[in-house]
Every structure is written in C-alpha cells, then in structure tokens.
Amino acid sequence: MNATTYGMDIAKNVFQLHWVEPTSAEICRRKLSRSKVLEFFAKRLPARIVMEACGGAHHWARELAALGHQVELLPAHQVRKFASGNKDDAADARAIWLAAQHPDIRRVPLKSIQQQAELSVHRVRSHWMQVRTATINCLRGLLYEFGVVLPKGRRAALRLLAEQRAQVDQQLPGAMVQLLDSQLLALGTLDAQIASLEAQIEAVQRSNEVARRLRQVPGIGLLGATALAATLGDGSAWRSAREFACCMGLTPRHTGTGGKVRMGGISKRGDAYIRTLLIHGARNLVRCAQPVPWIAQLLERRPFNVVATAVAHKLARAAWAMVAQGTAWQANHKAGVTAHA
C-alpha cells in the first residue's frame, strides 16, 4: 500500500485534505467539493485516509474503502488536542493528519449500513420518548396554572385526566380545553409511533441470531440486546472484554501526580445510549428479590449505584465475550453474571 496518509476534514459540501507526499516530503493541501471527493481518490493509489468520527464519516468510510483505501476514524475529542492556531477547515485537516501519526489513539470501529440502520431505529425511538416526556411535562405545567395538579408519572397523569376529565374541563376556560384535547391527541400519536418503532426492534431481534443470544443474559432486554448486537458487530474492533467495557465508559476515571493516583467516578466515555441501557438493566438485576450471591454480598458493603455500575460493567464484558467467541449465555458461570469475560 502507498505510504501516503490523508487527513480529511468532511462537511456537507466542502472537504479539506492535508497530506505529505512520501517522495518529495511536500506538504499538500486541497479543497474538494462533495461531488469531487470520490473522483479524486479513485485516481489515487491505495492510501490511508483518516477522518474524524463525525456526521457522515461512516458513509464516506464505506465509499472510500470500496475504492481500495484504508480508512480510519478518530474520536473528535482526540483530534482536538492537535489543533493549533485559528479554527478553519485547513487547520482541522492538519490536526487530523497529525493525530493519525499517533498509534496510541484508539480508532473508532466502522459501522456497516445494516448496523447504522438498526441503531437509527433506537435513536428515533429515544427522540420520540424525549418529545413525549417534554409534552406531558408542558401539559402538567400548564394545568397547574389552573389549579389542576397531575400525579407523578406519565401513566398516572393520563389516567387521572381520563377519569376526571369532566371535573378538569369545568376548571378550564374554553381555549384551554381545546389545547388539552390537542395535547392529548399528540400524546396518542407519539405512543403509536413509539410502539411502531418497538415492533421494528422486536423484528430485528427475531432475525438477528446475536441479538437472540444476548437477550438470554439477565439484565439485557430487547433494547439492550439489539443495540449491543448492532454496536459490537463481530466484536473484533475490541481486543478484549475489558477494553469494550472501558470504551463504554463503565470504568473509573483516575488522576495521578507525584506517585499518588486517585480513583473517581466512571469515565462516561463512548456511547451514552449503550451505557444507559446497560446500567438500567443492571439496576433491575440488582433490585430483584433474590439477586446473585456475589451481588447480594456486594450490596452489603457498597452503595446501590456502585453495585449497579459494577453489574453493568460485567454485562458489557459478557456481551463482548458472547459475540467475539460465538458462545451462548452460561447461567451457572461462577462469576455470577459474565461468561468468559
């Protein structure tokens, strides 16, 4: 493969390149329009192209890899450390090129079209969940101004409105009654959209053998199994279960100086959505009436959230091990939660 390394800053319409010619050591910069990117690299010998892992990066990675190039994606926060001077496209491309020279920066795994499509369903569902929460909170605040206090929780609030709608309408002016009707209609539409997306996720699980195996792990449900299956792929992007758990931000952050190291909370690096699903699943596992013996012992000496995070860490390791090794869940494993992690 040609030794040329290209740092490419991508955008909607303008793409900036930075590279050094291996023969003459000449520093080259070039600006390309969106329509000229593939044409430019199609005429080049197979090279190494490095980009930030930002919007559209996985699409361009697949397109450039199809031309025979080696494509790498770098975390944006790692590239930022190499930027100097004023902020512009050329400086960003140079920072990407400089960051590419450091092998200790972990590369972001490339996602296939199928992986991105499956994760997109999760993202849209999460979006509509946030919209639904915002809508019910807005309605709760507006009704409070007219003396109507809704109970805590979405289901309880909607149940009260359904049971006492006549009394509520008597406390509201006509315009507010119409507004209440429109908001309740919007909530019904959101419920239908969320249910439709969840049906799609269930269909993905039925057709995905990896997701079906992950679903057998206590603490990993429908959302966790399908999201983990789409994120992990074949698991080869991570060298070990420990590395995968670290990349999900489930290990402690530490600071040290003068020979003293202080451990803090979890780093919260990586995919916040996957981490959230793992921690929610772990909390349900810890709350169960008869937890695994080692979890019960840990609860005796550590706070609940610390135990839940430890269980989430083990769930992440178990998921990687099952995907990378092609094994099934082993309920009688002596570690209690994880298998071959």
Side-chain angles (χ1 to χ4, degrees), residues 251-266:
T251 52
R253 182 191 299 273
H254 70 271
T255 58
T257 183
K260 295 182 180 179
V261 178
R262 294 180 175 86
M263 305 300 290
I266 58 174

Side-chain angles (χ1 to χ4, degrees), residues 93-112:
R94 179 178 179 274
I96 294 171
W97 186 89
L98 289 172
Q101 313 308 315
H102 291 254
D104 56 330
I105 296 179
R106 192 183 182 283
R107 273 48 178 172
V108 175
L110 303 184
K111 290 185 175 65
S112 66

Side-chain angles (χ1 to χ4, degrees), residues 124-125 128-129 132 154 158 184-200:
V124 174
R125 177 188 174 275
W128 287 127
M129 293 281 287
R132 185 174 67 179
R154 177 180 59 87
L158 295 178
L184 292 176
L185 180 61
L187 286 171
T189 303
L190 289 172
D191 287 338
Q193 291 174 330
I194 292 171
S196 175
L197 292 171
E198 290 175 348
Q200 293 183 43

Side-chain angles (χ1 to χ4, degrees), residues 116-126 197 200-201:
Q116 283 195 290
E118 292 176 2
L119 289 173
S120 294
V121 178
H122 283 265
R123 294 297 187 267
V124 174
R125 177 188 174 275
S126 179
L197 292 171
Q200 293 183 43
I201 294 174

Side-chain angles (χ1 to χ4, degrees), residues 213 239-242 314-341:
R213 283 194 286 117
R239 293 172 295 182
S240 65
R242 180 189 295 271
K314 285 186 174 291
L315 289 176
R317 295 175 64 143
W320 179 89
M322 292 172 63
V323 172
Q325 301 173 9
T327 56
W329 165 246
Q330 299 179 14
N332 58 349
H333 190 265
K334 64 180 180 180
V337 171
T338 183
H340 302 303

Side-chain angles (χ1 to χ4, degrees), residues 126-337:
S126 179
H127 166 71
W128 287 127
M129 293 281 287
Q130 294 174 3
V131 172
R132 185 174 67 179
T133 301
T135 302
I136 191 67
N137 286 342
C138 175
L139 186 60
R140 188 189 303 274
L142 293 174
L143 291 177
Y144 182 71
E145 297 295 332
F146 294 91
V148 179
V149 179
L150 298 181
K152 184 178 180 180
R154 177 180 59 87
R155 291 186 178 89
L158 295 178
R159 188 184 309 115
L160 182 140
L161 284 175
E163 295 173 352
Q164 303 181 12
R165 182 59 192 274
Q167 301 176 19
V168 171
D169 287 351
Q170 292 178 359
Q171 297 179 243
L172 302 177
M176 190 61 195
V177 172
Q178 295 179 5
L179 181 61
L180 176 59
D181 290 335
S182 65
Q183 290 297 91
L184 292 176
L185 180 61
L187 286 171
T189 303
L190 289 172
D191 287 338
Q193 291 174 330
I194 292 171
S196 175
L197 292 171
E198 290 175 348
Q200 293 183 43
I201 294 174
E202 288 181 2
V204 169
Q205 183 200 266
R206 289 193 297 269
S207 62
N208 190 319
E209 187 269 338
V210 174
R212 291 198 303 271
R213 283 194 286 117
L214 290 174
R215 185 70 187 274
Q216 303 304 314
V217 181
I220 297 181
L222 171 66
L223 298 178
T226 51
L228 281 168
T231 300
L232 282 165
D234 60 1
S236 61
W238 295 269
R239 293 172 295 182
S240 65
R242 180 189 295 271
E243 184 178 68
F244 176 68
C246 291
C247 290
M248 293 299 105
L250 291 168
T251 52
R253 182 191 299 273
H254 70 271
T255 58
T257 183
K260 295 182 180 179
V261 178
R262 294 180 175 86
M263 305 300 290
I266 58 174
S267 65
K268 297 184 180 180
R269 298 190 180 102
D271 194 330
Y273 180 71
I274 298 293
R275 183 170 60 253
T276 299
L277 293 177
L278 288 171
I279 290 181
H280 283 337
R283 283 174 174 165
N284 290 332
L285 196 59
V286 175
R287 285 195 186 102
C288 67
Q290 295 181 343
V292 179
W294 74 267
I295 296 179
Q297 295 172 8
L298 193 57
L299 278 171
E300 294 176 357
R301 63 181 190 273
R302 302 296 290 173
F304 177 87
N305 285 338
V306 173
V307 176
T309 303
V311 174
H313 178 96
K314 285 186 174 291
L315 289 176
R317 295 175 64 143
W320 179 89
M322 292 172 63
V323 172
Q325 301 173 9
T327 56
W329 165 246
Q330 299 179 14
N332 58 349
H333 190 265
K334 64 180 180 180
V337 171

